[in-house]
Amino acid sequence: GQQLNQSPQSMFIQEGEDVSMNCTSSSIFNTWLWYKQDPGEGPVLLIALYKAGELTSNGRLTAQFGITRKDSFLNISASIPSDVGIYFCAGLPGYALNFGKGTSLLVTP
Amino acid sequence: NAGVMQNPRHLVRRRGQEARLRCSPMKGHSHVYWYRQLPEEGLKFMVYLQKENIIDESGMPKERFSAEFPKEGPSILRIQQVVRGDSAAYFCASSPGPRNEQYFGPGTRLTVT
């Protein structure tokens, strides 16, 4: 499968700060998904995007499907300690998800 | 509405033994996917199944690995004659259709000693 480039690899921020991370691919995707994974658990779906240019929010999270269909962005506003975890982007060209390597987020109180 | 269920959560096997991982999809989902995750890595697709059919097994090693999703009961990922390199977290996901968002189970962490 196509390897996605996800950045940054890790972020260390203070509570209350906003966070941005992104994902790029050399291939076009029909669907972009963002997941969060806590240690020892499975990925939890945060946001699903289905259309180029689409901007979707889920509470303090906002994600966008890039207009070229080759990238996506996730923003977290006013971070809190429970936002700690690894965030993965995933592109869905057909039915097999292609994952980025993840962004590890650490939030200090 | 119960989510995707996987068992066991942790499995320890000696080299050469068989590992059997089970996955029950979300209610109403008939599409099941298996992924493998190595430490510090994203998930890698292994196999996609619908009830009684393997649709795509292109990500699964040709030897020692097999998967099934019978008409009744959970999906099973079977690894025969395990080796140390098989140690990883194995995740199952399900979806209501082939191109819908996928929901993951908590995973089975396999350790081969």
Side-chain angles (χ1 to χ4, degrees):
Chain A
Q2 174 68 43
Q3 179 69 59
L4 304 185
N5 297 311
Q6 188 172 348
S7 64
Q9 188 174 358
S10 61
M11 299 185 76
F12 188 75
I13 62 170
Q14 282 197 316
E15 184 177 359
E17 289 185 6
D18 297 344
V19 172
S20 288
M21 57 192 80
N22 69 79
C23 214
T24 61
S25 169
S26 58
S27 301
I28 288 172
F29 288 118
N30 298 319
T31 301
W32 281 95
L33 305 168
W34 284 92
Y35 291 88
K36 178 179 182 246
Q37 186 176 27
D38 291 329
E41 298 295 330
V44 174
L45 181 64
L46 299 174
I47 292 181
L49 302 156
Y50 300 103
K51 208 161 65 169
E54 180 181 354
L55 186 71
T56 297
S57 292
N58 177 8
R60 294 178 296 105
L61 277 61
T62 302
Q64 183 159 26
F65 192 145
I67 199 75
T68 64
R69 294 168 63 192
K70 293 183 178 181
D71 58 0
S72 181
F73 305 86
L74 175 70
N75 296 318
I76 306 173
S77 62
S79 58
I80 59 178
S82 62
D83 290 334
V84 165
I86 302 179
Y87 292 79
F88 289 100
C89 62
L92 189 61
Y95 45 73
L97 288 171
N98 292 340
F99 279 85
K101 289 196 172 185
T103 294
S104 178
L105 179 64
L106 293 173
V107 181
T108 58
Chain B
N1 186 16
V4 177
M5 302 188 64
Q6 288 187 251
N7 68 80
R9 293 291 304 271
H10 300 274
L11 183 61
V12 179
R13 285 286 178 265
R14 291 202 183 99
R15 277 180 298 170
Q17 290 185 320
E18 178 179 287
R20 210 175 262 227
L21 289 61
R22 294 174 188 77
C23 168
S24 296
M26 284 179 73
K27 189 175 179 181
H29 289 189
S30 59
H31 299 256
V32 166
Y33 315 79
W34 286 92
Y35 293 83
R36 177 163 64 177
Q37 185 177 37
L38 296 172
E40 312 293 323
E41 295 284 331
L43 284 72
K44 296 282 196 293
F45 168 77
M46 297 180 74
V47 61
Y48 163 40
L49 311 102
Q50 292 181 39
K51 279 288 185 183
E52 299 186 272
N53 291 306
I54 296 175
I55 307 302
D56 182 351
E57 56 184 349
S58 60
M60 199 159 65
K62 299 253 185 300
E63 296 180 358
R64 304 188 296 107
F65 284 72
S66 62
E68 63 179 20
F69 189 14
K71 189 177 178 182
E72 301 290 338
S75 175
I76 307 282
L77 178 68
R78 185 184 292 112
I79 311 172
Q80 295 177 302
Q81 299 173 344
V82 297
V83 300
R84 288 230 172 98
D86 296 332
S87 295
Y90 292 83
F91 291 97
C92 167
S94 72
S95 69
R99 288 177 173 77
N100 297 127
E101 61 273 14
Q102 296 176 18
Y103 296 87
F104 284 82
T108 294
R109 276 136 192 93
L110 173 66
T111 302
V112 179
T113 61

